Amino acid sequence: MPFIKIDHVKKVYQGTVNCEALKEVSFNMDKGEFISIMGPSGSGKTTLLNLVSTIDTPTRGTILIDGQNPQQLKKSELAIFRRRNLGFVFQDFHLLETLTIGENIVIPLVLEGVNITEIEQKLAFTSKRLGIDKILDKRIHEVSGGQKQRAAIARAMIHSPKVLLADEPTGSLDSKASKDVMETIEQLNREDETSIMMVTHDPVAASYCSRVLFIKDGEIYNELVRGERRSVFYQSILDVLSFLGGETIDVSQARF
Ligand SMILES: Nc1ncnc2c1ncn2[C@@H]1O[C@H](COP(=O)(O)OP(=O)(O)O)[C@@H](O)[C@H]1O
Ligand SMILES: [Mg+2]
């Protein structure tokens, strides 16, 4: 039984004009896998991630996460399922400006009613791991983009979710910060066996994962599995992207 099973999933946004964002997508994801989703703008990447996130529901088909179908849960059960099993990271961080870095990171634990001693222990452990333990008392506007994203990752990971879902996590970062963030995500994936699904248009970021799925016009177009060397994987990703076209690819060898 695969850890995540995406089975003939179709998504149509209803409106004055219906939009078929995903035609029919099927794939499996193993526990501990790190998958990137790539494809031109408008190809359905965010739609797919939102369906796995349980934020949105498929028009047809099913998504099972660890054997469970979140669509069959009641609203209150779904909120708990999401909180326990999923962690989210976004391009623009989604940190609360009025709170400190540390206060932002512990939000999931506070929502779960975890006691203060455990909260402090987990905060110390997670923030140290992500290299942000010295800035916990700082406000959001006082830290760099890379530090903000590492705080957002800490918040997503502090309750040890089974799946981390990230939509363009390096999209607002410069090349140095992107590299730091991707190395961090790769390390978490390796050490904790957290399954990760990441949407990205950055081939460098994608080269850190173990498999890339390319989507075009709401369908899976191709997939690549990483071998030993990241540099070779990166080159193969570029090759597929150049076939896919549709989007200017930001390729700077200096970043690699
Ligand atoms: N909430 C929505 N309502 C209607 N159409 C949408 C909505 N979200 C996305 N779409 C459309 O679905 C298609 C896929 O969008 P999206 O999944 O955001 O693509 P990507 O993330 O690959 O850029 C696009 O044509 C987009 O305009
Ligand atoms: Mg998108």
Side-chain angles (χ1 to χ4, degrees), residues 133-148:
D133 52 317
K134 302 284 191 290
I135 56 162
L136 294 179
D137 294 329
K138 290 214 187 282
R139 300 270 158 188
I140 308 306
H141 64 266
E142 295 175 310
V143 308
S144 71
Q147 287 172 326
K148 281 183 209 172

Side-chain angles (χ1 to χ4, degrees), residues 70-128:
Q71 302 311 330
Q72 288 171 350
L73 299 174
K74 292 199 212 90
K75 216 174 167 192
S76 56
E77 294 171 330
L78 183 61
I80 295 170
F81 175 87
R82 214 181 269 163
R83 227 157 52 208
R84 300 242 165 102
N85 296 295
L86 310 176
F88 301 97
V89 176
F90 305 92
Q91 173 171 352
D92 49 359
F93 323 122
H94 289 202
L95 295 167
L96 300 176
E97 296 283 341
T98 53
L99 302 182
T100 64
I101 292 284
E103 287 164 348
N104 267 283
I105 296 173
V106 302
I107 289 172
L109 301 180
V110 173
L111 291 176
E112 279 284 298
V114 173
N115 72 61
I116 187 78
T117 319
E118 195 179 333
I119 289 183
E120 279 172 0
Q121 280 169 356
K122 288 198 166 154
L123 177 61
F125 175 77
T126 305
S127 61
K128 196 157 189 0

